[in-house]
Every structure is written in C-alpha cells, then in structure tokens.
Amino acid sequence: MMWTALGALACALLAVPGAIALTTGWLPPKLRVAVVRPKLWGYGGLLSAVGLTTEMSLSVLAPAEQLIDFFGPLGFALLLLGFLLQSRARRPAAL
C-alpha cells in the first residue's frame, strides 16, 4: 500500500508541473534558465507521467499476461519518450 501511494505521488510530481508548463508556460525557478521551450517540456512531463502510471498499473493486470506483455514495454517507451522531450526542450528550436 505504501509503495502504491509513493508511486502515485511520483506520478503527480511529474504530471502537475508538466500540465502547468503546457498551459501557462510557467516553469519551476530552477528550470527557467535551462529550458528554452516550456511547452515541449510540459508535453514531456505529461508523457512521462502517463508512462509511469502505465508501469504502475501492471500490478492490477497481473492475471492477464498478454496485457502485461503489451503494456510493460509501452509504459517504458512512453517514460523514455517523455524524458527525451524534456531533454530536447533545453535546446533551441531548429529553423
């Protein structure tokens, strides 16, 4: 139970700043210097949160092994893609 609560907290810590950056363009103070494109960073934060939530929900799908075989790599890919978008948000846009 405690690990589920900590996982949900981690998802919220990824999703809330991502949603704020996506809608308003606001970033936490430590990221304002490094991030050039806040909306892209917000998309990456939301995508990472969705990937982490997908990975967390695999314990619910434990009896259905076919679903685990599909959603396991999908959640991992979404998490990595979100982190990739967040790292790309630190670089200026190409012309």
Side-chain angles (χ1 to χ4, degrees):
M1 179 71 177
M2 180 184 75
W3 293 111
T4 305
L6 286 175
L9 179 64
C11 289
L13 287 176
L14 283 172
V16 170
I20 291 173
L22 186 61
T23 56
T24 65
W26 183 87
L27 288 170
K30 286 189 175 186
L31 292 174
R32 288 183 193 153
V33 176
V35 174
V36 180
R37 297 181 280 177
K39 292 203 183 281
L40 184 62
W41 189 88
Y43 278 121
L46 286 178
L47 203 56
S48 296
V50 168
L52 187 60
T53 304
T54 304
E55 286 289 326
M56 273 183 35
S57 64
L58 289 178
S59 62
V60 176
L61 300 173
E65 290 184 22
Q66 296 86 6
L67 293 177
I68 289 176
D69 290 341
F70 175 73
F71 284 109
L74 177 69
F76 184 67
L78 289 175
L79 186 66
L80 286 181
L81 185 61
F83 288 146
L84 178 72
L85 285 178
Q86 285 185 324
S87 68
R88 293 293 297 167
R90 294 176 181 254
R91 297 181 184 171
L95 295 177

